[in-house]
Amino acid sequence: QTLALALESKEKEIRKWNSLVPIKPYGHKPPLYIVHGAGLNVLPFYAIANNLDPGQPVYGLQAKGLDGIETPLTSVEEIAAHYIKEILEHNPQGPYALAGYSFGGILAFEMAKQLKAVGKEVQKLIMFDTYAYLSDHKESWMVKLTNQIRYLIGKRVNDIQLLVNHPQTFKNIKLISLRKKKNNILKFLNFKNTQPQPEMLKTIKKIEAINREASKHYVFKKYPGNLYLLRAKIRTNYIEDPVYLGWKPYVDNVNIIEVEGKHTTMFTPPHDKKFARVLQEILDGNEVPPVRQHLE
């Protein structure tokens, strides 16, 4: 019986799901912790880590519940606290460099606030093209309607700008969109056999929906520090603030660096090496030339 209990305990330990993933755990520099984007996992960050300095440790943070066993957390504050707990277990002293991709930037922002609130040093807070989106779900129907009209007009203007400045990107986006619409229509008409979704995909979609709700209810409050914003050069979707991506009211200063590519390609080949070079300059405290604010 004792042996059985010991084996059961060992099995639970092996099955334990960690959000903190050592991508490149060795090096003499303060480690960088990167929070997942919409895909919820840390796979995209291996390309970044491989192109950073040999002495730069990198850790990723993936969503709780991605294993299909753990229960997903339902608020930005809870998720941030969970990630901080795992970081402190690994590195109790600090200092800390935090980065976040897309939705992960909002989590990194909240993590930086919580770390500073308990007296920890946050050396760098870095956003990978994260938009500080404010939901209007509590606003009146009139405000929502006005926002919807503004969005539709802005989207058309953005499409025209994308067509003029990046015609191939515009064409690719529209082809993908048409393909998706066609598949959805065929599925609706039962002309196309639908394969059952893999369990992992179902899990990802479930957590993504939870994260969207969490983001919708998150209240941004001022962070007493600076922020680095690595902003994608090609803007494929409309946002109200294309310069600061909504961050200016919530930090002391926004340091904007424009990087090649669009939101989904800025740290994949052929942009990965340059992206990593800029990121390493920020982490090392070197001066990075800011982008000219020609959009203001």
Side-chain angles (χ1 to χ4, degrees):
Q1 188 178 7
T2 305
L3 179 60
L5 289 172
L7 288 171
E8 184 181 352
S9 175
K10 188 66 179 174
E11 186 183 353
K12 286 180 180 177
E13 186 181 331
I14 292 169
R15 284 197 326 240
K16 184 184 176 185
W17 175 265
N18 288 323
S19 288
L20 187 68
V21 178
I23 295 173
K24 186 182 163 199
Y26 305 108
H28 62 281
K29 297 185 178 187
L32 169 65
Y33 299 93
I34 312 178
V35 187
H36 63 82
L40 310 176
N41 63 68
V42 301
L43 291 176
F45 307 144
Y46 281 84
I48 297 174
N50 290 337
N51 287 295
L52 292 173
D53 285 356
Q56 179 62 63
V58 179
Y59 292 81
L61 288 148
Q62 59 188 358
K64 187 179 181 184
L66 198 56
D67 59 347
I69 299 171
E70 296 276 347
T71 303
L73 299 169
T74 57
S75 75
V76 169
E77 292 84 354
E78 285 179 326
I79 299 168
H82 170 68
Y83 293 167
I84 286 173
K85 179 176 178 292
E86 292 205 13
I87 288 174
L88 292 177
E89 287 173 357
H90 160 256
N91 177 12
Q93 300 303 320
Y96 305 97
L98 304 175
Y101 173 45
S102 196
F103 171 68
I106 295 171
L107 297 174
F109 175 76
E110 176 61 25
M111 288 165 67
K113 285 174 56 186
Q114 291 188 21
L115 282 168
K116 280 209 170 185
V118 294
K120 299 295 183 180
E121 181 187 355
V122 179
Q123 280 189 335
K124 295 289 189 302
L125 176 59
I126 308 166
M127 301 290 156
F128 297 167
D129 208 49
T130 295
Y131 179 41
Y133 168 72
L134 291 179
S135 172
D136 61 1
H137 71 285
K138 290 185 177 179
E139 301 291 348
S140 67
W141 69 268
M142 182 62 76
V143 171
K144 290 178 182 176
L145 179 61
T146 303
N147 288 345
Q148 183 66 17
I149 293 170
R150 186 187 296 120
Y151 170 78
L152 291 172
I153 294 171
K155 188 175 184 301
R156 295 292 174 266
V157 172
N158 189 79
D159 281 349
I160 293 168
Q161 291 174 339
L162 190 62
L163 176 61
V164 172
N165 298 321
H166 306 282
Q168 190 57 49
T169 300
F170 177 82
K171 180 182 175 183
N172 292 342
I173 289 170
K174 292 305 174 185
L175 283 173
I176 291 168
S177 176
L178 285 171
R179 214 170 286 134
K180 284 181 179 177
K181 287 175 181 176
K182 176 186 171 184
N183 287 338
N184 288 336
I185 291 170
L186 290 175
K187 285 176 187 176
F188 177 76
L189 297 174
N190 289 325
F191 289 158
K192 187 171 184 178
N193 293 327
T194 55
Q195 297 295 325
Q197 286 186 346
E199 287 303 314
M200 176 56 79
L201 184 58
K202 289 180 183 177
T203 300
I204 289 172
K205 287 188 174 182
K206 174 186 173 184
I207 301 175
E208 282 180 340
I210 291 171
N211 286 350
R212 281 194 296 271
E213 279 298 302
S215 177
K216 188 167 77 174
H217 292 278
Y218 182 61
V219 178
F220 287 90
K221 293 178 182 176
K222 185 77 181 281
Y223 167 71
N226 298 331
L227 179 149
Y228 287 88
L229 174 61
L230 274 65
R231 193 183 70 196
K233 184 176 182 179
I234 302 175
R235 179 62 50 199
T236 58
N237 60 317
Y238 166 72
I239 55 175
E240 286 190 27
D241 179 9
V243 177
Y244 296 99
L245 306 194
W247 288 108
K248 193 174 182 180
Y250 306 117
V251 293
D252 293 339
N253 186 51
V254 183
N255 302 287
I256 304 169
I257 300 97
E258 194 169 73
V259 293
E260 295 297 325
K262 58 183 191 287
H263 181 78
T264 56
T265 64
M266 59 186 181
F267 44 79
T268 60
H271 311 306
D272 51 345
K273 289 180 174 60
K274 189 173 180 181
F275 184 96
R277 199 159 57 241
V278 170
L279 179 58
Q280 191 68 64
E281 291 289 316
I282 294 170
L283 293 170
D284 291 345
N286 298 329
E287 193 67 29
V288 181
V291 67
R292 290 179 182 175
Q293 300 306 335
H294 59 277
L295 295 173
E296 290 189 295

